[in-house]
């Protein structure tokens, strides 16, 4: 289809076929008052905005069903609706990784994900790792390597390690560093965090399993 660009409109092409605006948009180009309103004129063609949306998701093995605000983030949902405070909100804009959780096997920044987009999904948070008072081997490894100072970044770091080891049970140091590159630590515990990830990989032996240290390290 060719378009005539010589009409003196700054090079912008017209509508396909050179159709005048008045033919594409009723009322445009008509004399004032020369046309009766079309039936339904003034009604939006866009779907109505829904303030609440129904969601069904599984968090740490437990099913949750209910309505949520369309704009509610997964991070806020986990903390405010479910009381799972292990997931931290640092920057709130996808820069720090403190809010990292696993959704359907993928590591995500939960501060950027609307919980409405998780309908039908399986969500894993740091609270889901321990079995009773038995910590997960990744949590044990963080303790053994003293891989935290203030601990604010730790739940996100642990979930990033979990996501890595789930898909790559025997990572190299370089793979660990790459996998954790989206998780910042203001305390600068990076070397110990990488050591903890490698220790956890060794402890899990590629087969998964539980740990044996009492207590909780969910931040
Ligand atoms: S709080 Fe989500 S990336 Fe920082
Ligand atoms: S341990 Fe303090 S931010 Fe990482």
């Amino acid at each position: 289809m060719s378009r005539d660009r010589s009409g003196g409109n700054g090079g912008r092409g017209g509508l396909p076929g050179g159709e005048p605006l008045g033919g594409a948009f009723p009322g445009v180009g008509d004399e004032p008052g020369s046309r009766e309103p079309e039936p339904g004129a003034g009604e939006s063609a866009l779907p109505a905005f829904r303030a609440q949306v129904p969601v069904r998701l599984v968090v740490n093995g437990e099913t949750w069903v209910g309505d949520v605000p369309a704009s509610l983030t997964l991070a806020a949902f986990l903390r405010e609706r479910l009381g799972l405070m292990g997931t931290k909100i640092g920057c709130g804009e996808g820069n720090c990784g403190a809010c990292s959780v696993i959704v359907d096997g993928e590591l995500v920044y939960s501060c950027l994900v609307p919980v409405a987009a998780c309908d039908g999904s399986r969500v894993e948070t740091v609270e889901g790792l321990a079995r009773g008072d038995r910590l997960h081997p990744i949590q044990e490894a963080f303790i053994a390597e003293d891989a935290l100072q203030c601990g604010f970044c730790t739940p996100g770091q642990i979930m990033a390690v979990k996501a890595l080891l789930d898909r790559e049970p025997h990572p190299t140091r370089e793979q660990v560093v790459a996998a954790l590159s989206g998780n910042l630590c203001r305390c600068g515990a990076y070397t110990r965090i990488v050591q903890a990830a490698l220790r956890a990989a060794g402890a899990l032996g590629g087969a998964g399993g539980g740990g044996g240290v009492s207590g909780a390290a969910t931040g």
Side-chain angles (χ1 to χ4, degrees):
M1 178 183 302
S2 64
R3 297 187 186 181
D4 180 4
R5 293 175 181 268
S6 62
N9 64 354
R12 286 166 288 187
L15 294 173
E19 190 173 357
L21 285 175
F25 301 98
V28 177
D30 294 339
E31 291 298 320
S34 64
R35 184 187 289 256
E36 292 295 320
E38 298 287 341
E43 294 179 6
S44 173
L46 297 173
F49 175 74
R50 298 168 65 191
Q52 297 277 327
V53 292
V55 167
R56 177 189 183 91
L57 69 170
V58 177
V59 180
N60 298 332
E62 294 191 13
T63 300
W64 188 92
V65 180
D67 291 344
V68 296
S71 60
L72 184 68
T73 66
L74 177 58
F77 170 79
L78 292 170
R79 291 175 59 84
E80 297 165 12
R81 288 288 185 93
L82 302 189
L84 298 176
M85 307 300 278
T87 299
K88 305 304 184 193
I89 300 177
C91 65
E93 54 187 24
N95 289 322
C96 73
C99 64
S100 298
V101 301
I102 298 173
V103 178
D104 293 332
E106 297 291 331
L107 190 69
V108 303
Y109 289 150
S110 62
C111 70
L112 297 183
V113 178
V115 66
C118 298
D119 185 36
S121 292
R122 182 172 53 85
V123 180
E124 299 171 62
T125 76
V126 73
E127 289 91 346
L129 297 183
R131 293 291 175 266
D133 61 357
R134 295 177 62 214
L135 293 183
H136 189 280
I138 298 174
Q139 294 169 306
E140 287 185 327
F142 269 68
I143 293 172
E145 293 291 343
D146 197 17
L148 63 153
Q149 291 186 41
C150 76
F152 188 82
C153 74
T154 308
Q157 304 277 7
I158 286 175
M159 296 314 292
V161 173
K162 173 74 163 51
L164 169 65
L165 299 185
D166 282 350
R167 70 173 187 277
E168 177 48 76
H170 304 289
T172 64
R173 177 176 293 273
E174 290 70 28
Q175 286 175 311
V176 170
V177 170
L180 296 176
S181 62
N183 291 74
L184 304 183
C185 175
R186 290 289 298 271
C187 300
Y190 294 111
T191 302
R192 292 173 183 267
I193 291 169
V194 171
Q195 276 303 120
L198 293 170
R199 174 187 280 260
L204 286 163
V213 177
S214 296
T218 58

